[in-house]
Amino acid sequence: MKVIPKKAFRFYFFAFVVTGALVFGALQIKQPVITNPPVTGDIQAPAEVKVILRRACYDCHSNETNLRWYDKIAPVSWKVAAHIKRGRELMNFSEWNKLAPVDQKAKLWECLNQINAGAMPVKDYETVHTSSKVSEQDLNTLKNYLNTITGITPMDTAKLNARDKQYELLKNRATAITSLPKALNGVEFIPDYKNWQAISTTERFDNGTMRVIFGNEVAVKAIKDHQINPWPKGTVFAKVAWDQVVDNNGNITTGAFKQVEFMIKDKEKFVSTHGWGFARFKTPKLVPYGKTVMFTNECINCHRPLSDNDFVFTQPIKN
Ligand code: HEC
Ligand code: HEC
């Protein structure tokens, strides 16, 4: 190996430092502009809930962004500005009253999931702003709050009727479905999911449904082999949702079937949706969801924060 003479090395090192400093200095001249527009309808929630949201989420999801000096140094400042822009677009606690009450609950439920999955607050941000960490206790505070505002009714007559009606229809159905419904992106309904292994169950208390997530053989093997990031080609998840019926003693059972959703892993086939084929079939009639093929944007937008987790929320129990 050729040895660089000491003098030349000093020169190059000096030149390198000077160039670096100049570039760094030049970068600071053109800075992104971040303003705080007026707060028009801040979320109304108990103080202990607000404290958590303010500390952990408001920098990007409100009009009360509090930039620290280190957020203002380029190139970091550009990344910060991009996060704030995107964060506010998707959810803004300062304009909370623009959302209908059901959508407010749905957004809060989404928040819990994003935190639970470790996707929010954004990881690089959390590393620097250590005070934004959401602890287990904070998460419980948020959950309890969402539970109190949802108000699940025991023996909900509407739900019981829906369940009974559906049962009658199924009982009287003359023949099984012969042709399989297909979503607009070409993903076909997979009837076999009922025989797959359940890998997780969740309860969506903001709208009173319960879900079971099933994995096909490829998924189950991947879990066993600890090969789940990325999930292998051929992995399929099915997520099934039913109404949640609560009796007078607080016991929970499934009510009417709502929908089943699929995610199929095939990097080559589903390039535009991060390697996953998404589909949702609603009601026992299995009506494909969406008006155009762009329905997948909705799926992707909610699953994208999980990009470090191959876009999957479910964490199978590790052993
Ligand atoms: C550093 C900025 C930043 C912070 C802090 C932050 N977020 Fe986000 N959030 C984002 C960005 C950027 C996205 C879009 C992510 C993407 O599309 O990949 C997002 C997306 C979301 C979404 C999905 C919204 C939708 O409609 O698709 C939710 C929910 C969310 N964040 C909740 C939270 C919660 C709750 C907190 C606090 C615990 C939080 N975020 C903290 C930047 C941030
Ligand atoms: C509002 C946010 C949101 C949207 C929109 C969304 N999902 Fe999900 N999805 C979730 C959450 C959260 C989970 C985790 C399971 C749970 O808590 O219900 C999940 C889980 C899943 C799973 C099980 C695998 C996993 O990632 O855990 C499938 C399959 C699925 N979604 C399909 C879809 C399809 C298909 C669409 C679009 C038609 C869609 N999702 C749209 C939030 C969303």
Side-chain angles (χ1 to χ4, degrees):
M1 210 174 76
K2 223 176 102 192
V3 180
I4 305 168
K6 215 171 178 181
K7 224 172 170 178
F9 176 78
R10 265 202 225 121
F11 172 75
Y12 284 125
F13 184 73
F14 182 69
F16 178 76
V17 170
V18 169
T19 319
L22 284 176
V23 169
F24 185 77
L27 269 177
Q28 307 314 314
I29 296 168
K30 195 158 171 7
Q31 281 283 7
V33 185
I34 295 156
T35 55
N36 275 327
V39 177
T40 51
D42 200 28
I43 181 172
Q44 301 297 313
E48 72 268 20
V49 171
K50 282 288 278 280
V51 160
I52 300 166
L53 298 178
R54 277 191 176 276
R55 180 165 54 71
C57 323
Y58 264 48
D59 274 350
C60 300
H61 292 289
S62 84
N63 296 342
E64 297 183 72
T65 301
N66 172 20
L67 291 178
R68 271 55 121 213
W69 64 268
Y70 44 81
D71 296 319
K72 297 180 193 165
I73 301 168
V76 172
S77 55
W78 290 99
K79 195 158 187 196
V80 171
H83 275 152
I84 295 169
K85 184 164 175 286
R86 178 99 178 119
R88 282 180 183 167
E89 268 165 20
L90 290 174
M91 179 177 71
N92 192 334
F93 287 116
S94 300
E95 298 171 0
W96 201 243
N97 63 350
K98 282 192 184 163
L99 296 175
V102 278
D103 296 329
Q104 293 177 348
K105 286 180 202 167
K107 274 285 177 224
L108 284 176
W109 177 79
E110 219 179 290
C111 286
L112 283 179
N113 280 291
Q114 299 286 0
I115 299 170
N116 220 358
M120 287 291 145
V122 171
K123 276 287 147 288
D124 354 340
Y125 167 89
E126 196 189 74
T127 313
V128 181
H129 304 80
T130 43
S131 66
S132 72
K133 264 203 167 47
V134 178
S135 67
E136 202 64 33
Q137 199 186 339
D138 294 339
L139 197 57
N140 278 333
T141 306
L142 297 177
K143 263 187 206 156
N144 287 340
Y145 170 58
L146 189 53
N147 250 332
T148 56
I149 60 172
T150 47
I152 288 169
T153 332
M155 299 309 276
D156 187 326
T157 16
K159 279 188 175 171
L160 291 171
N161 288 341
R163 181 188 64 187
D164 296 345
K165 205 168 128 205
Q166 211 178 64
Y167 180 67
E168 283 305 310
L169 279 176
L170 283 176
K171 225 173 49 181
N172 299 330
R173 189 148 74 192
T175 45
I177 299 168
T178 46
S179 75
L180 296 178
K182 206 188 249 185
L184 288 157
N185 56 349
V187 173
E188 213 173 63
F189 178 74
I190 311 170
D192 200 36
Y193 76 84
K194 290 169 194 138
N195 305 320
W196 297 349
Q197 193 171 318
I199 54 175
S200 171
T201 62
T202 62
E203 164 193 5
R204 184 165 169 174
F205 38 85
D206 71 301
N207 68 4
T209 57
M210 36 204 299
R211 308 84 201 298
V212 175
I213 293 153
F214 296 95
N216 70 349
E217 246 170 65
V218 180
V220 172
K221 179 165 188 313
I223 295 168
K224 246 190 224 129
D225 298 344
H226 303 277
Q227 298 293 331
I228 61 168
N229 198 0
W231 289 86
K233 183 171 179 169
T235 297
V236 188
F237 297 113
K239 176 173 142 182
V240 195
W242 295 269
D243 263 341
Q244 175 178 304
V245 177
V246 186
D247 73 12
N248 288 326
N249 300 322
N251 298 317
I252 296 171
T253 51
T254 51
F257 167 87
K258 298 295 228 191
Q259 62 179 30
V260 54
E261 295 176 296
F262 293 99
M263 277 171 72
I264 302 173
K265 184 69 185 275
D266 189 332
K267 248 176 27 205
E268 288 80 35
K269 199 163 162 194
F270 303 111
V271 179
S272 66
T273 45
H274 300 296
W276 289 100
F278 288 91
R280 175 186 290 165
F281 300 93
K282 295 188 69 98
T283 76
K285 292 206 176 100
L286 304 172
V287 182
Y289 174 78
K291 293 201 171 68
T292 71
V293 68
M294 301 309 279
F295 81 87
T296 52
N297 277 348
E298 212 180 296
C299 318
I300 278 292
N301 279 343
C302 213
H303 281 248
R304 187 179 291 116
L306 282 296
S307 58
D308 288 345
N309 211 17
D310 201 10
F311 304 91
V312 172
F313 278 94
T314 301
Q315 282 297 307
I317 299 148
K318 295 191 183 87
N319 47 27

